[in-house]
Amino acid sequence: MPARTTDSTPERPDDDRAPSNAPEPCAGEDAHTPSPPGEHAGDDAHTSPPPGEHAGDDGTGAGSGQRVVAVRRAADGGRRWRALHLAGCAVLLALAVTGGAIAVGGGQDRGAGADAVSAAGALSPGDLARGDLDAGIASLQKHLRAQPRDFGSWATLGVAYVEQARTKGDPSRYPQAQRALKRSLQLEPGNDQALAGQAALAAARHDFPGALTHADRALKQNPYNERALCTRIDALVELGRYDDAAKAADTADDRRPGIPVFTRYAYVRELRGDVRTARGVLERALGSAHAPADVAYVATALGQLAWSQGEYRTALDHYARALAADDGYLPALEGRARAQAASGERTAAVRGLEQVVARFPLPGPLVALGELYEDRGAGGDRAKAGDQYALVDAWTALARAGGANTDLETALAAADHGDEKEALRAARAEWDRRHSVHTADALAWALHVNGRDEEALPYARRATATGYRNAVFLYHRGVIERATGDERGARAHLKAALDLNPGFSPLGAREARTALKDLKGNR
C-alpha cells in the first residue's frame, strides 16, 4: 500500500476543551479515550440555508454519486481523455462550483448581543462521529436552520464536510467546509473549534504551512484542543520536520492521550524506522478502541503497517477486524485488496479494487487497479488500465477545483503512467513547498523517468535517510543507482526492497526482480 500520510487520518468533530474532573466525550468514542492502563503512547435571524441544502447536494450521497459518474464520463475512453483534457477540466470545474455550492454568506445574521446557543437535543459532535456521517450532516443542517448563531455547530459542520470529502473522494466539499468554518468565526471570532477546523481543512487540501498556522492559533486559545494537537503533528510530518513532529507528538500525548494521538505517535516512530514501537502503540490503541469507527481506523493502520513489512497474512487479519467493525470502510477494503494481490490472490484483489473505485475513484486505488490489469495482461486489460490512469487525471482536476493541492499525487501517477514532464513539474513544485521523505522520493523518481539520474540520486538517498522502511523508496533508489553505474548500491537496495515487501507493487516488484537478476548476471 502506498506510504501512509498523516493528513488522511480521520478527524474528530469534537469540542475540545481543557480536561475537567469529568472529561467530556471525544467524538467517535463513548467517552474520552483513556491512555492504556498506566501508559501513555511514549511509554513503549434569517440566514441562507445551511450548506448542502440545494438539490443534488444534500450531503447524503446523491451528489457524490453524480460526481463519480461525471468523473468517469470525463475519463471514458482512456486516450481520448487526453485529447479532451482542457474541456474536461472545465466541465469538472463547473461541476465542483455547482454541485458543491452553498448559500452561506448571502444572508449573514448581523444581530448583536445574543450569545450562540444550542438547542436541547441538538446533534453533538460525538454523535456525529459515532453515527452515519451523511445523516449527521443533515441533522446539523436542520439544527442550524433553527439556531443559525450556534458557532460550535457551524465549526462541527465544517469539519464534517472535510471528513466527507476525505471518505467519499469528493473535494467539492472543501469550499463548503471553508464557508461553514468562516461562519463560525464570524459568530465567535477566535473560537478554537473553528480554528482547529481550518487547520484540518488546510491539511486536507495539502496546505501544510497553513495547517500549522491555524493549529498554532487554535492551541493558543485552547492548549488541549485535540484536533489542533493532532493536525499540528500532521503538518510537521508532511513538511518533513520530523524532530519537531516527534516533540509535538510527545506534547499531544501528555495533554490528550487517546486514539487520535496514539496513531500519529506511531506514525512518527514508523517514519524513523522504529516499527516495533509503532506496532506496540497501535496495538494498545486498538485495545482501548470501542466505537466501530475507531476499531476500523486503528485496525486498518495495523494492517497497513503489517503490509509494508511484507506480513500479508497478519495484514489480512487486521483488515478483517476493521471490516467486521465497519464493512464499508474504504481504506480497509483497499488495503485488503492490496494484501490479497501481494499474497497471489489476484482475482480477489482485482474484484476488491474494482468495487472500491466504483464507489470512490481515488488516485491510489485507481493506479493499483491499473497496475493489476497490466500485470494480468488479459484481452482488453491494457485499455482497462489506461482507463484507470485517465480517471486519476479527472480526479485531479476535480480536486484542484475544490482548492486542493494535488502535485504529489500528480507526480507519482504521471511518472509511471502519464506525462513524464508533467511529473517533474509537479514534483518540483511540491518539493518547493515541503521537504518530506515522500516528496524527496517523488522528485527522485520524476527526475529518473526524465533521464536525469545524477540529479535524482541525492533525493533518493534523502528519501531513505530517516530509516523509514518503505519498499518503494528502496526500489526507486536501487533503479536510480543502477542508472548511475553504482551496481553494488543497486543490488543492495533492490534486494532490500524485495526482502522487505516482495509484493509492494505488481509492476514495480516484477521490474525489481528482473533488474536484480540482470545485475547478478553481470557480476
Side-chain angles (χ1 to χ4, degrees), residues 464-482:
T464 56
T466 68
Y468 182 36
R469 291 168 55 81
N470 185 301
V472 174
F473 291 7
L474 293 167
Y475 160 64
H476 286 168
R477 178 170 175 173
V479 170
I480 292 167
E481 285 171 331
R482 184 188 185 193

Side-chain angles (χ1 to χ4, degrees), residues 383-410:
K384 287 181 180 179
D387 289 345
Q388 308 315 306
Y389 305 144
L391 280 166
V392 174
D393 291 341
W395 180 91
T396 298
L398 180 59
R400 286 174 176 165
N405 165 36
T406 64
D407 280 330
L408 183 59
E409 291 86 350
T410 296

Side-chain angles (χ1 to χ4, degrees), residues 25-47:
C26 289
E29 304 169 38
D30 293 334
H32 172 67
T33 304
S35 178
E39 297 181 86
H40 280 204
D43 299 331
D44 248 19
H46 293 290
T47 184

